[in-house]
């Protein structure tokens, strides 16, 4: 009997977890824009999220095509926005990887690329 009860509660838990996903901090927009091509290398990358972020556990890393970090390593968080400065970068494809802890204590992460060049 115990087992039957347990199995019956699982679908409900899954439903709650899925429904709640919309409340996590999701990437709203980025500068440079996701997948975009910019002519000149940006001085920094800024991301905006759908929720406020916990500064201590929210980071951005930016890597070049060879996988080397080109960010300063110091992510700055302000409300639902975070940014990181970039070292001088040349033409090429760059990957922005982000991981954030939102104020609702949930972690989300993701990555996207942008290109620098003519
Ligand atoms: Cu959440």
């Amino acid at each position: 009997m115990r087992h039957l009860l347990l199995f019956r509660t699982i679908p409900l838990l899954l439903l709650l977890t899925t429904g709640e996903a919309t409340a996590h901090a999701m990437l709203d927009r980025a500068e440079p824009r996701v997948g975009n091509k910019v002519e000149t290398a940006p001085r920094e990358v800024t991301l905006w999220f759908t929720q406020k972020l916990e500064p201590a556990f929210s980071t951005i890393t930016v890597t070049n095509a060879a996988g080397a970090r080109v960010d300063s390593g110091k992510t700055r968080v302000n409300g639902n926005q975070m940014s990181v400065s970039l070292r001088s970068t040349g033409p090429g494809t760059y990957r922005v990887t982000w991981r954030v802890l939102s104020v609702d204590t949930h972690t989300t992460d993701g990555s996207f690329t942008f290109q620098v060049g003519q």
Side-chain angles (χ1 to χ4, degrees):
M1 278 317 276
R2 280 256 171 93
H3 286 81
L4 282 173
L5 271 174
L6 183 64
F7 285 125
R8 218 176 293 154
T9 54
I10 288 171
L12 181 63
L13 284 173
L14 283 176
L15 195 70
L16 287 171
T17 311
T18 316
E20 199 194 26
T22 52
H24 298 0
M26 303 308 286
L27 183 63
D28 184 35
R29 62 196 170 94
E31 190 60 49
R33 277 176 278 170
V34 173
N36 214 33
K37 193 174 207 175
V38 292
E39 279 189 21
T40 53
R43 301 292 300 169
E44 64 175 27
V45 168
T46 303
L47 309 179
W48 287 265
F49 290 84
T50 56
Q51 275 195 16
K52 284 189 176 177
L53 310 174
E54 287 290 351
F57 301 99
S58 301
T59 54
I60 307 173
T61 57
V62 185
T63 51
N64 62 20
R69 295 260 310 253
V70 296
D71 63 271
S72 68
K74 291 174 188 160
T75 302
R76 304 182 307 278
V77 174
N78 183 10
N80 68 337
Q81 172 190 337
M82 70 175 176
S83 44
V84 71
S85 301
L86 302 183
R87 299 172 217 276
S88 58
T89 52
T93 301
Y94 294 88
R95 177 164 293 276
V96 178
T97 304
W98 54 267
R99 183 179 178 83
V100 301
L101 180 69
S102 60
V103 290
D104 72 359
T105 73
H106 294 134
T107 302
T108 48
D109 54 40
S111 74
F112 65 89
T113 59
F114 68 88
Q115 288 177 58
V116 175
Q118 298 298 311

